[in-house]
Amino acid sequence: DPSIGKPLEVVHLLLQYGASLEHRDVEGNTALHHFVRKNIFSNPWQFDKKLFDFLIKKINVNEQNNKGETPLH
């Protein structure tokens, strides 16, 4: 699969086709909430700094989900 190891390129492609970084799931989580949980807390050895840097420039790090949690809480 050519997308493996290229998450930032995949995100750019999704954005080109209309995906939104502002989208929230039913619990109010943004893409940054999910990225932090999956990559920093669950799989820190697979952390993608380029993607993280991109997301924190595009999504407010103080955005709260329905529980009042911010991505970097």
Side-chain angles (χ1 to χ4, degrees):
D1 184 343
S3 67
I4 294 176
K6 300 181 181 181
L8 184 55
E9 289 85 355
V10 172
V11 169
H12 282 294
L13 183 63
L14 291 170
L15 293 173
Q16 281 182 321
Y17 283 91
S20 171
L21 291 175
E22 301 302 318
H23 179 78
R24 292 172 175 268
D25 66 14
V26 295
E27 296 174 348
N29 295 308
T30 65
L32 188 56
H33 282 92
H34 287 286
F35 177 86
V36 168
R37 285 190 190 132
K38 181 173 175 55
N39 292 282
I40 295 177
F41 297 128
S42 298
N43 298 310
W45 55 90
Q46 295 178 346
F47 178 73
D48 187 321
K49 184 165 178 1
K50 287 182 184 178
L51 182 54
F52 178 74
D53 290 343
F54 174 79
L55 290 174
I56 63 170
K57 289 178 185 173
K58 302 291 184 181
I59 302 173
N60 182 349
V61 298
N62 295 311
E63 287 288 330
Q64 296 181 354
N65 64 14
N66 297 347
K67 295 179 182 176
E69 302 166 328
T70 65
L72 305 178
H73 66 272

